[in-house]
Structures are given as C-alpha cells and as structure tokens.
Amino acid sequence: MRFLISARPFVACGTLALLAACSSKTDEKGGKDAKKNSGPALVDVLVARPSAVTDSIEANGAVVANDYVELHPEVSGRLTFLQVNEGRRVSKGSVIARINDADLQATLQKTRALLQVSRLSQDRLEKLLKIQGVNQADYDLAVSQVRSNEADAAYTQAMLAKTVIRAPFTGVLGLRQVSPGAYVTPATIIATLQADTKLKVDFTLPEANGGVVHLGAVVTVQLAGNPPRRYPATVLAQESQLNQTTRNLTVRAQLPAGAQASPGAFAKVSVSTGAARRSVLLPTNAIMPGDKSDQVVLIKNGKATLQNVRTGDRKDDQIAVVSGLAAGDSVVTNGVLFTQPGKPVKVRKATAQK
C-alpha cells in the first residue's frame, strides 16, 4: 500500500516562518528608526520682553509727480517741427512742436497793412479836425477803424502763439505719441511732461481712521525694491470730502528731496495712531495662524507647549503680540514645525529680546 503525503502543510509552514522572520526584521528596523527619531527637536527660542509699541495703520497709495501735464496743441494743423526727447529733461519754455502757420502769417501781414492805412487816415482827419475841415463823426470812425485793425492783429498774433507748443514747466518728457508731418487737433496728445524733482504720495484711509492724520504729520512710506526703500513723508493736505463710493479719505504727503521713485509706483504708507501699548515683537514665522486664535510654541520645563495669543500690527517680517505672552517666556522662533505639544525639545540658540 502506498501513502500519499501532501506537501501543502510544509509549504504553509515555510511561508509562516518567512513572514515571521521578515516581521521580526521590520520590527527591529522600525524600533531602531523610532529610537533614532525619538530625540528632542532642535529649536531656537526668543526670550520675550514686552515693550511700548506705537499702533499704526497701513494704507495703500501711489507716487505722483508734483506737476503732470499732457501736451496738446491748441489749434489744428500739420506738424512742421517736433522735438520730443523721450525720457529727457527739458526746461520751462522749451519748444516741443510747431504747427504750420503760413495762413496765419499771411492774415497778419494783411491786417498790418490795413492797420497802417487806417492810421494814416486817422492822422489826416485829426489835422483837418483841428481846422474844422471835417466833422467829429468822420474822425471818430477813423479812430474806430484803427482800433479794430489793432484788435485783428492782436488776435492773429495770439493764434500764431498757439501754433507753438512749449514746455509749461521744467520736467521729464514721456513717450512721443505722434510723428512729424502728422495732422493734429486739440484732442491729440503729443507727449506727457512731469516734474520729478518733488514727488508726492496719495493714499486713502477708511472713514473711521480719517482723524489720525493732520496737516504736517509725518508718515512712513515704503517703496518696492531690494531691499525696500523707506522715506518719511509730510502730510500736505487731505480731500475735503469722503469718496461717496468707497467711504475713504484721500490724503496727500510730500516725499523728501532725493527720494528715488517713479510716478505711479505703488507705495505702502504707515500712519501712526499715536496710541502705544505694551507688546512683544516676534518674527512672523513664530506665529501659527488658527481658526479661533493665533498660537505660539513656548518652552516650559524642557517641553513644548502651545499658547494662544492675540496679534496686532505687522511690520515687514515682525508682528506684535498684544496679549498671551509674559516677560521671560521662551518662544520658539525656528523649528516650530518640528515640535509637538508635551514632547521634549532641545534649545539650540536662545536670544534675549532687546
């Protein structure tokens, strides 16, 4: 008699042994990794020290030139001369363009000829009037004719002056909008001119904060750059009424001489409210935004602890914490994401706030 022995139980036993061995190696490796990663997180801390921080309001604005104008011709005609040095500075009174004035020149010559004849006629009648050789009415008519011709000549000269476009003030020319020989009208823009020696900033404040600025107040203007440029600006004036659509108040401030900015550039304006309160200035990366309140990580007894705080004004890479921190609290400023509440931490660098 032959006995058939199934090989399946042995295969199963081999598989279980292999899985057990693999599981043992995995547990051993996991245990080593866990042991390796179970060390305290390395962090940098800042020892909080509350100080008096003045509250401020941030507003958006734009740099504007002290003077700005679009150069339009006052009469229609063809350009016979055009000199627009794009981006160059021109002096007040410099000739920018000329319009064909041949017809006006001819009219002026005709008027001057008539004026000369009328003056001669007036002189003759004046002599005759003295000897009563002519009546007063004829003489008065001659005087009226002289004055009429003089007015016509003055009008033509005024029209001739309008054919010359001059720079109304010293400034920098913009891009040329027409070419020589073009037919232009008073609606045509030849170029723009702006005075960049004195720059101003226009910014808007909400209706509720309109009372924090006054004539002569100094605000801080930040312009884009690497690094950003900051200038003090003096408030010159404010709009007499609120914008009826936005309910905002427009304020104008004067930048100091030498400020490097281009008209139209975006400006961030910081306006001090004059109120000061004790706050702790922290780097923005130390704050963890939350749904209900912001949080920071404190080090207490060598372990990480979450603390709810209330933040205030933000300035560049710093933010003011107005409540939730006390003097001497150790706030984690670097390595916040590697900390866990209740877990030990290791302080790599501690800085005392000035």
Side-chain angles (χ1 to χ4, degrees):
M1 181 179 293
R2 295 179 180 179
F3 295 95
L4 298 176
I5 301 175
S6 175
R8 292 181 180 177
F10 294 99
V11 174
C13 291
T15 303
L16 291 175
L18 180 61
L19 291 175
C22 292
S23 177
S24 176
K25 291 181 179 180
T26 302
D27 292 343
E28 182 180 355
K29 183 178 180 181
K32 290 181 180 179
D33 292 343
K35 184 176 181 181
K36 182 178 179 181
N37 296 330
S38 62
L42 293 176
V43 296
D44 296 340
V45 299
L46 177 68
V47 180
R49 181 183 177 186
S51 59
V53 177
T54 303
D55 289 341
S56 61
I57 302 168
E58 285 193 352
N60 295 332
V63 178
V64 296
N66 190 54
D67 292 304
Y68 172 84
V69 68
E70 293 179 345
L71 298 175
H72 292 261
E74 293 188 70
V75 295
S76 299
R78 193 169 304 280
L79 288 175
T80 58
F81 173 82
L82 182 64
Q83 186 171 355
V84 178
N85 296 322
E86 300 172 321
R88 300 292 183 87
R89 185 177 299 278
V90 294
S91 301
K92 180 179 179 180
S94 300
V95 177
I96 305 298
R98 294 180 184 272
I99 297 175
N100 184 16
D101 60 354
D103 54 342
L104 293 174
Q105 291 287 359
T107 301
L108 180 60
Q109 290 180 5
K110 178 182 178 181
T111 304
R112 285 176 174 174
L114 294 174
L115 177 60
Q116 183 179 5
V117 172
S118 62
R119 283 176 175 172
L120 291 175
S121 178
Q122 178 187 352
D123 292 340
R124 285 195 300 268
L125 292 176
E126 184 178 3
K127 293 178 181 178
L128 291 174
L129 181 63
K130 291 180 179 179
I131 60 175
Q132 297 182 351
V134 67
N135 58 35
Q136 184 68 38
D138 292 337
Y139 175 76
D140 292 342
L141 183 61
V143 173
S144 175
Q145 187 62 44
V146 170
R147 292 178 179 176
S148 176
N149 290 335
E150 289 176 344
D152 289 342
Y155 173 78
T156 306
Q157 287 178 336
M159 294 299 293
L160 281 170
K162 291 182 178 182
T163 62
V164 181
I165 296 94
R166 300 179 182 272
F169 51 82
T170 300
V172 178
L173 285 169
L175 300 180
R176 190 184 67 182
Q177 303 297 322
V178 294
S179 298
Y183 185 86
V184 295
T185 68
T188 305
I189 299 176
I190 295 177
T192 59
L193 179 67
Q194 54 189 5
D196 62 346
T197 53
K198 294 182 180 180
L199 296 176
K200 297 175 287 190
V201 173
D202 286 354
F203 60 95
T204 56
L205 291 175
E207 179 181 3
N209 299 323
V212 301
V213 293
H214 58 274
L215 184 64
V218 177
V219 298
T220 301
V221 178
Q222 177 177 315
L223 303 174
N226 190 16
R229 292 159 295 166
R230 294 181 181 83
Y231 300 102
T234 305
V235 174
L236 295 177
Q238 62 184 30
E239 193 60 70
S240 57
Q241 65 177 6
L242 296 171
N243 185 296
Q244 295 184 2
T245 302
T246 62
R247 302 300 176 186
N248 289 336
L249 178 67
T250 302
V251 183
R252 175 167 293 176
Q254 179 79 57
L255 284 170
Q260 299 296 321
S262 299
F266 174 78
K268 184 182 293 184
V269 183
S270 179
V271 183
S272 175
T273 62
R277 51 183 172 180
R278 297 188 65 79
S279 305
V280 177
L281 291 177
L282 294 179
T284 53
N285 58 355
I287 305 295
M288 296 186 296
D291 295 336
K292 296 182 178 179
S293 65
D294 296 332
Q295 293 181 322
V296 297
V297 178
L298 301 182
I299 305 301
K300 293 184 178 181
N301 300 322
K303 296 182 179 180
T305 304
L306 291 179
Q307 176 66 36
N308 293 332
V309 295
R310 186 164 64 91
T311 58
D313 295 334
R314 182 188 298 266
K315 295 181 180 180
D316 300 331
D317 58 348
Q318 288 188 321
I319 188 170
V321 176
V322 298
S323 65
L325 292 180
D329 284 345
S330 298
V331 184
V332 176
T333 58
N334 193 6
V336 175
L337 299 179
F338 299 103
T339 61
Q340 297 181 8
K343 298 294 183 178
V345 295
K346 183 177 180 180
V347 177
R348 177 176 53 189
K349 179 182 179 182
T351 304
Q353 195 170 40
K354 297 181 180 180

